[in-house]
């Protein structure tokens, strides 16, 4: 018997149809879509207790209500392309859920229907890592995608999502991808010897030339977080001990511009921490940093006790605001007075508001996710 | 009350099933004819299957009259709903979240609306093709029966007849007023 | 760069090898296996918040310690074959985790290594349902597997795991599989019109003959749970209102033997409930039943307040024992004084001990699982 | 203390990486030669890869000296462990649960044993090829560094080099005593 056999019942069932038809109009069901104009917050949750089933939650930035989700599979990575109304999710599938042939792809989601509209096969070497922003990036013109690989030997896959052409650039000893802000065919990476490698790709995706900077940081004494932000023309990195390194990644070789120490003398023991430990307002040149006290070796992922607002242009600490239990922070791309954060302790996503003095306070939250680590508000 | 409707539907279901058993060899390929006329008889209940161009409308209607309780398992429509509420997952009480499609077949509950005092037939459509939502798990079982009365059974994935059969969440759609006789 | 490039470091690293070698012996890592002699408890958890990633937990019956797990995929079903040292798990995989081509298989796990040692493709019609015992069963000789299908039209797949031959028997309007206790090529099913359909299969798996019983129960007024138990020669079904139906499923047509009402006059409002609401000691003919008070329509899956011990042979209630929040119960196959239960309210698995008077009391528990529904203790 | 070892290993890692970059075209296929001699240099640390016939022994040893704290994230060996404890999943502190295989490559921590006052090099092998255990999630980060120091990085799946690369849980294996110099 197939379900088609139910056809024999059709006449009978019409007879049995509930009456009171005059006053009652049966409802219809349908599928929702997300308005193009809605400002979005994406929360990437690898769902560690069930890693095969990671997801990216889509929230309305105005009230943090949940609007939908994207399948992120096993240790998936996401990057939004608001200009194209797409969200890219790089992930791994196995033939039998947890075993069998490994297939790595970039799933291309429409950001209104949340359906997969394309799939780009990639090398089965992508880093199956926590979804740090710098592990999956777009070129400044949005034409290329950059994916961090690790086998554990490291390289970067450069992918054209339209032509599906790809190039693998070896990047031994280096990790994290930082696309040049003005040169679409260029990106940099942080290396364990304290240098920065900068890659310039040929337009035909045939090869990438690598140039190494001088030593820009000390990966032993004061490592840089691999999460980075940028202002309008330079990248901003943050060290475990609370130094901001402003660097230009625009040329063939990276160069340091300046180093700023955000920790005043009266705040010994405070340090930044988390998976996405700071956000930068590119225009105002203000950094918002997740800070904890009683720092020690191994505390660099600790949840926050405060958010510090640091004025990069004027090199001064603007404000310290209480903000417990946050490990990831991002600034809204459309409203520089709004931050979004992940609170993994209470399993909440929070919305924070910045006042004119740089003070930060919570304005909304939603209970969501299990082990979320990356939050983005790109449109 | 509604038991009478359910019983009659069930008896019809059983008869159809018996028929189908006898001629199961010839029964393939008729589904398209059935859905072509805009109705699907499913698990013993008749559900309107509306063209998708009405979907937006239905959703907009729902959004304009928000119900304060629709995120709670105690909301009256959920009396036989076993699953995740789509209203917690980006959809509404009757609309699937983005990317998920309503199930083609459903189970049916009969729930009492305390506001107008009437009993309604509720179609519990699973929303299909996206990973399980995981929020607002409810487990109502009024009128629920084991799988030998499939049309009122809720311990099964009602996305089973969809091309993409992954379960995401469940909506509650009013499809009739129950016969009081 | 591939990981093989690390070879260049080998000589150097040997040099760097930590000293103190005289006193320190490096540890080795390895994979555990489960002793053949360990008595096992299997807990099937569909993990509803992440349905693609269901699992079957394997516990040591003696102390409920977790010994391992089997992947159960999306709405998987399990049946153990202790005589063959196998556990069968019927499940569904999709090409892309939650989308794409559907593949239904029976995974054959070794019950000591917990590895998949074989896979049997089956029709993509299996019921993607909560893992009730009666939806996936073995023939009395262990040679055949029976799988409930639903599209939603219902049928049963009969599978020979060795030859991988299969037969589909239509079972419209019926649900649940009850293999005859003495005839390997026979099983029965409960039908919505109150009859029982009995199937007799030809030895070559070419066809199945179906014979229908008279009306044995009233699916409208007092439905039977689809979970069933058996004593040494008959099946025991339980109704929503607390009646035990003892039936013979051994002949070509099922017949009722007797109906027993377990609810005494002074216990109005009490009723059985849960997903696996009772267990039967086949030798002693005692049923242990999960009971709740204040029964009403829709309460048939309610968690227990008590366990009732009912003597089927002597038709009397032996004991009522407090036992809160249980929805699934099973009797140890090796020790008839031990029950195992699922407590979904506290997300625990419990071990209970039966004393000489039939009284039941808790003896151990483990915090485990999310939405477990089936517990088995077959060896 | 252990920083010195780590730094030296890291410097070596970087040099090897640079070398490998220059000759990446020729570097395929040497892994078998490496594993053939019973050692694997992984992520900058040298780990003994023992034949599996010693596995049972190692496990039995662990089982005969149960450590009361090994199911707690505070147990000293877990100072840089980010993952699910295999001792909560059917394995032990150093043995994978049934069906899971130890990872071929690992990250390394340096942890202080309060009992003997020594610092030990701990290899955190992920156990691979079974679905994520989900029990006893710990997140120790002593000495942990970002992925540009891969051998001491723990936010990545160290089953990555196994044929079956699904992550199940993590064991903590003592592989050396840290040089105090």
């Amino acid at each position: 018997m197939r379900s088609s056999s139910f056809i024999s019942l059709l006449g009978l069932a019409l007879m049995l149809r509930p009456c009171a038809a005059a006053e009652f109009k049966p409802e219809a069901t349908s599928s929702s879509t997300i308005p193009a104009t809605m400002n979005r917050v994406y929360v990437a949750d690898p769902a560690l207790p069930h890693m095969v089933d990671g997801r990216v939650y889509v929230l309305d930035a105005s009230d943090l209500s949940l609007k939908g989700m994207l399948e992120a599979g096993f240790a998936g990575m996401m990057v939004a392309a608001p200009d194209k109304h797409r969200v890219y999710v790089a992930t791994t599938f196995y033939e039998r859920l947890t075993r069998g042939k490994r297939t790595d792809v970039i799933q291309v989601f429409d950001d209104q229907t949340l359906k997969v509209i394309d799939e780009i096969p990639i090398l089965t070497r992508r880093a199956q890592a926590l979804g740090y922003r710098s592990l999956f990036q777009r070129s400044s013109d949005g034409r290329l995608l950059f994916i961090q690989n690790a086998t554990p030997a490291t390289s970067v896959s450069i992918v054209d999502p339209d032509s599906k052409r790809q190039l693998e650039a070896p990047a031994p000893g280096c990790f994290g991808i930082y696309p040049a802000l003005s040169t679409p065919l260029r990106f940099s990476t942080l290396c364990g010897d304290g240098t920065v490698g900068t890659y310039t790709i040929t337009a035909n995706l045939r090869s990438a030339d690598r140039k190494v900077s001088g030593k820009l940081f000390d990966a032993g004494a004061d490592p840089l977080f691999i999460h980075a932000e940028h202002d309008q023309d330079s990248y901003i990195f943050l060290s475990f001990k609370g130094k901001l390194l402003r660097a230009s990644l625009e040329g063939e070789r990276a160069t340091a511009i300046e180093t700023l120490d955000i920790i005043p003398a009266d705040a010994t023991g405070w340090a930044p921490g988390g998976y996405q430990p700071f956000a930068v307002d590119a225009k105002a040149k203000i950094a918002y940093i997740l800070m904890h006290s009683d720092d020690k070796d191994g505390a660099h992922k600790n949840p926050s006790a405060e958010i510090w607002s640091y004025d990069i242009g004027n090199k001064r600490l603007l404000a310290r605001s209480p903000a417990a239990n946050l490990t990831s922070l991002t600034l809204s791309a459309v409203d520089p007075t709004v931050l979004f954060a992940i609170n993994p302790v209470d399993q909440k996503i929070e919305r924070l508001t910045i006042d004119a003095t740089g003070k930060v306070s919570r304005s909304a939250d939603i209970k969501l996710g299990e082990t979320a680590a990356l939050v983005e508000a790109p449109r | 009350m509604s038991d009478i409707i359910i019983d009659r539907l069930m008896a019809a279901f059983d008869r159809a099933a018996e028929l189908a058993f006898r001629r199961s060899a010839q029964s393939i390929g008729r589904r398209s004819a059935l859905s072509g006329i805009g109705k699907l008889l499913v698990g013993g209940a008749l559900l309107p299957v509306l063209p998708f161009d009405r979907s937006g409308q239905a959703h907009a209607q729902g959004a304009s009259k928000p119900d304060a309780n629709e995120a709670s398992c105690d909301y009256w429509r959920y009396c036989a709903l076993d699953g995740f509420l789509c209203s917690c997952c980006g959809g509404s009480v009757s609309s699937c979240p983005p990317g998920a499609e309503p199930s083609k077949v459903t189970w049916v509950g009969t729930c009492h609306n305390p506001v107008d005092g009437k009993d309604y037939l509720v179609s519990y459509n699973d929303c299909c093709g996206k990973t399980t939502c995981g929020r607002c798990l409810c487990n109502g079982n009024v009128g629920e029966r084991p799988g030998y009365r499939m049309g009122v059974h809720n311990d099964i994935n009602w996305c089973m007849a969809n091309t993409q059969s992954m379960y995401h969440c469940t909506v509650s759609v009013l499809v009739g007023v129950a016969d009081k006789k």
Side-chain angles (χ1 to χ4, degrees), chain A, chain B:
Chain A
M1 178 180 167
R2 305 292 171 279
S3 41
S4 55
S5 62
F6 288 114
I7 196 170
S8 60
L9 251 179
L10 188 63
L12 180 63
L14 281 170
M15 223 168 63
L16 287 170
R17 199 178 181 184
C19 31
E23 59 196 26
F24 175 76
K25 263 176 56 184
E27 295 176 344
T29 182
S30 62
S31 292
S32 306
T33 57
I34 296 180
T37 53
M38 188 188 88
N39 292 324
R40 289 145 163 84
V41 179
Y42 296 108
V43 177
D45 185 352
L48 293 186
H50 293 281
M51 277 191 79
V52 292
D53 191 31
R55 58 270 309 274
V56 176
Y57 293 106
V58 185
L59 311 183
D60 183 337
S62 70
D63 62 0
L64 290 186
S65 61
L66 179 65
K67 292 303 178 188
M69 59 190 71
L70 311 175
E71 288 77 8
F74 179 67
M77 307 272 170
M78 67 87 57
V79 63
D83 49 318
K84 299 186 173 188
H85 297 282
R86 300 282 180 265
V87 182
Y88 300 103
V89 176
T91 191
T92 298
F93 298 109
Y94 298 94
E95 199 172 12
R96 293 287 183 261
L97 187 75
T98 55
R99 62 189 170 86
K101 186 166 165 275
R102 170 179 172 177
T103 301
D104 286 12
V105 298
I106 298 170
Q107 303 179 103
V108 183
F109 286 89
D110 180 282
D111 78 357
Q112 292 168 236
T113 65
L114 306 192
K115 289 192 178 182
V116 175
I117 54 172
D118 200 5
E119 187 181 274
I120 305 158
I122 52 174
L123 295 173
T124 54
R125 291 180 200 142
R126 71 173 198 90
Q128 294 174 324
L130 206 70
Y132 288 99
R133 181 192 290 170
S134 66
L135 302 186
F136 187 29
Q137 282 284 272
R138 299 171 79 207
S139 59
S140 61
D141 64 354
R143 200 175 70 85
L144 299 176
L145 296 171
F146 303 123
I147 302 159
Q148 180 69 57
N149 297 323
T151 65
T154 46
S155 64
V156 173
S157 284
I158 300 141
V159 179
D160 179 339
D162 295 328
S163 72
K164 303 193 179 178
R165 292 192 54 200
Q166 303 185 32
L167 170 68
E168 184 184 16
C174 308
F175 213 62
I177 300 161
Y178 311 94
L181 303 172
S182 56
T183 309
L185 291 167
R186 182 168 288 159
F187 68 90
S188 294
T189 179
L190 295 181
C191 304
D193 60 1
T195 63
V196 172
T198 297
Y199 294 74
T200 305
I201 310 153
T202 57
N204 58 11
L205 292 198
R206 282 288 165 76
S207 66
D209 180 58
R210 180 191 189 223
K211 293 263 191 299
V212 182
S213 74
K215 186 167 172 175
L216 301 189
F217 68 104
D218 186 334
D222 190 16
L224 296 181
F225 290 98
I226 62 162
H227 178 77
E229 296 277 317
H230 58 79
D231 59 22
Q232 293 185 300
D233 52 15
S234 64
Y235 263 86
I236 296 157
F237 295 94
L238 175 65
S239 81
F240 282 21
K241 292 188 177 167
K243 292 198 169 57
L244 290 172
L245 167 65
R246 207 151 70 78
S248 170
L249 307 183
E250 302 309 299
E252 283 198 338
R253 256 176 244 271
T255 54
I257 300 170
E258 62 182 342
T259 299
L260 305 168
D261 190 346
I262 63 166
I263 319 256
D266 64 351
T268 315
W270 285 82
Y275 294 94
Q276 188 179 358
F278 72 121
V280 166
D281 179 338
K283 279 188 194 154
K285 292 189 107 168
I286 297 172
Y288 301 94
I289 308 167
L290 299 177
M291 301 291 293
H292 59 268
S293 58
D294 303 316
D295 189 53
K296 58 185 176 189
D297 182 21
H300 53 284
K301 298 175 193 169
N302 278 16
S304 65
E306 295 182 359
I307 292 177
W308 289 16
S309 309
Y310 185 87
D311 183 335
I312 294 170
N314 296 305
K315 303 179 189 186
R316 67 190 187 92
L317 190 59
L318 287 181
R320 293 173 56 170
S321 314
N325 297 337
L326 309 180
T327 49
S328 296
L329 188 69
T330 203
L331 190 79
S332 163
V334 294
D335 182 352
T337 68
V338 174
L339 293 159
F340 299 96
I342 295 168
N343 174 339
V345 179
D346 305 311
Q347 296 188 319
K348 282 182 176 174
I349 309 306
E350 299 187 4
R351 185 179 194 272
L352 305 104
T353 310
I354 307 163
D355 74 12
T357 69
K359 266 275 185 190
V360 175
S361 56
R362 296 181 191 200
S363 57
D365 65 43
I366 180 176
K367 180 103 178 142
L368 185 71
E370 289 159 284
T371 56
L374 180 72
V375 57
E376 299 284 16
R379 61 177 285 201
Chain B
M1 217 165 69
S2 71
D3 276 0
I4 295 164
I5 293 175
I6 299 295
D7 280 357
R8 282 193 295 178
L9 284 167
M10 286 302 112
F13 182 100
D14 294 343
R15 254 170 286 141
E18 187 60 38
L19 263 175
F21 176 74
R22 292 198 189 122
R23 60 180 187 203
S24 58
Q26 328 145 12
S27 65
I28 296 165
R30 292 193 186 157
R31 159 160 272 183
S32 52
L34 180 60
S35 52
I37 58 165
K39 307 267 174 212
L40 259 184
L41 179 69
V42 286
L46 183 73
L47 302 180
V49 177
L50 295 165
F52 275 100
D53 57 4
R54 281 189 51 184
S55 303
Q57 223 180 332
H59 181 50
Q61 203 175 37
S64 66
K65 296 185 213 162
D67 189 308
N69 298 316
E70 74 178 39
S72 154
C73 290
D74 295 329
Y75 183 55
W76 70 271
R77 284 190 188 204
Y78 304 153
C79 79
L81 189 159
D82 184 12
F84 299 102
L85 301 183
C86 290
S87 52
C88 292
C89 305
S92 71
V93 68
S94 63
S95 168
C96 291
E101 302 285 350
S103 64
K104 292 179 175 171
V105 292
T106 76
W107 81 100
V108 174
T110 305
C111 300
H112 184 75
N113 181 349
V115 176
D116 65 10
K118 287 180 187 166
D119 292 337
Y120 288 85
L121 283 184
V122 184
S123 167
Y124 297 108
N125 288 72
D126 284 343
C127 294
C128 312
K130 282 199 90 70
T131 197
T132 316
C133 163
R135 306 186 83 222
C136 304
L137 182 59
C138 298
N139 190 4
N141 292 296
V142 172
E144 199 269 350
R145 293 294 177 265
Y148 50 72
R149 294 226 154 159
M150 187 58 82
V152 289
H153 181 51
N154 69 13
D155 284 329
I156 196 163
N157 174 26
W158 280 97
C159 293
M160 59 184 137
N162 284 47
T163 308
Q164 294 296 312
S165 57
M166 177 56 52
Y167 170 72
H168 184 52
C169 62
T170 305
V171 294
S172 307
V173 184
L174 302 187
V175 292
V177 180
D179 194 340
K180 283 277 185 184
K181 191 195 126 6

